[in-house]
Amino acid sequence: MKTATANFDCADIYQEHAFLVRLPKGRRRQVQVFEVFGRLPTEREAQWAPETILRCEAPREIWDVISPEARSEFNRRLKGDGKPAGRWGADETAVQRLLGKELLVLLWAIELPGVTPEEIAVAIRNWLGLKPEERWWLYTMTAAATGLSHQQGMGWRSALRHALCCGTRLDAFHLGAVAGRGTLAPRVNERFAPEDKKPKRTQRKKPGADEPGFLFAPPLPAE
């Protein structure tokens, strides 16, 4: 069995706009999430270093709870796109840009020291209930106003805490269960190619001049 790579759809963070999850060692048990503005080097650069922004610092205990859930969610989507699965590294993990935004939405909601295990469980459930596009929108709004690490509990960060941690683990309701959701009328997919193609039917050969039935129509069924 092939081991999953220690990244999530980000082969080289120096060349991609992505996120970096860092687990510092030692007494400071924190998880740090950086936004990394990776780019290709110019011909005149012997070496280059992408700019970074520290977006979040959260307790390691919280990370140990949510990281398996985030891994399962991301790998489910990567598998659907035909991409290799990822895993969290022991020290650093590169995360594709959109997946990193979704991860920060969950971390921002439960990063404060006073968060309870019950709130973490509810936040995970509600986060899973959101569509990726909804998580991207929440990230955009939060990062624009209070997206730096030291802005814990401020503005949109506080709103995320109240929204995602709303309810209990026993509640049937979560943010993804919205009664107004539905679908549009189905549309035929012209690119659809079924895996098991049925054999083509052989057309019946019309009788020739030297074959019986050429001059006579087939009998009609009795009424």
Side-chain angles (χ1 to χ4, degrees):
M1 182 176 179
K2 186 177 180 181
T3 304
T5 57
N7 70 72
F8 290 88
D9 195 24
C10 181
D12 189 349
I13 201 166
Y14 273 68
Q15 300 186 33
E16 301 180 39
H17 177 193
F19 288 83
L20 179 67
V21 177
R22 177 176 293 167
L23 302 176
K25 297 180 181 179
R27 295 182 178 179
R28 191 182 183 189
R29 293 180 55 83
Q30 294 274 328
V31 57
Q32 299 174 329
V33 182
F34 297 85
E35 184 172 5
V36 181
F37 299 90
R39 60 177 177 82
L40 294 174
T42 64
E43 295 179 354
R44 297 186 177 183
E45 289 179 308
Q47 59 183 16
W48 83 106
E51 295 182 2
T52 66
I53 296 178
L54 180 57
R55 294 295 190 187
C56 179
E57 284 188 295
R60 182 70 179 270
E61 291 74 18
I62 288 178
W63 173 253
D64 291 340
V65 174
I66 72 164
S67 56
E69 300 288 349
R71 175 182 176 177
S72 298
E73 167 69 3
F74 295 163
N75 283 339
R76 178 186 65 81
R77 304 240 302 278
L78 292 175
K79 181 180 179 180
D81 293 337
K83 298 179 179 179
R87 64 178 175 86
W88 302 114
D91 47 4
E92 292 185 347
T93 307
V95 183
Q96 188 256 7
R97 179 174 56 90
L98 295 177
L99 299 181
K101 291 182 177 182
E102 298 175 39
L103 176 65
L104 275 170
V105 168
L106 178 57
L107 277 173
W108 280 339
I110 57 177
E111 63 186 345
L112 292 177
V115 67
T116 65
E118 175 85 1
E119 289 177 317
I120 295 176
V122 173
I124 293 172
R125 182 199 63 190
N126 288 338
W127 181 79
L128 291 172
L130 294 171
K131 290 184 176 296
E133 294 82 358
E134 294 170 328
R135 300 173 196 157
W136 303 339
W137 183 85
L138 288 171
Y139 171 86
T140 300
M141 300 302 295
T142 306
T146 54
L148 301 178
S149 176
H150 67 275
Q151 295 175 313
Q152 294 181 350
M154 298 173 58
W156 277 87
R157 297 268 273 273
S158 176
L160 283 178
R161 167 91 182 261
H162 289 291
L164 290 184
C165 296
C166 176
T168 68
R169 280 182 283 190
L170 300 179
D171 292 335
F173 170 80
H174 58 79
L175 296 183
V178 180
R181 279 185 173 160
T183 59
L184 294 177
R187 176 184 293 177
V188 176
N189 181 10
E190 298 178 353
R191 301 175 59 186
F192 173 70
E195 296 181 0
D196 299 326
K197 295 184 178 179
K198 296 181 180 179
K200 295 183 178 179
R201 294 183 178 179
T202 56
Q203 294 183 351
R204 198 171 187 180
K205 186 179 179 181
K206 295 182 179 179
D210 57 345
E211 296 180 5
F214 173 68
L215 297 178
F216 303 96
L220 296 175
E223 296 181 356

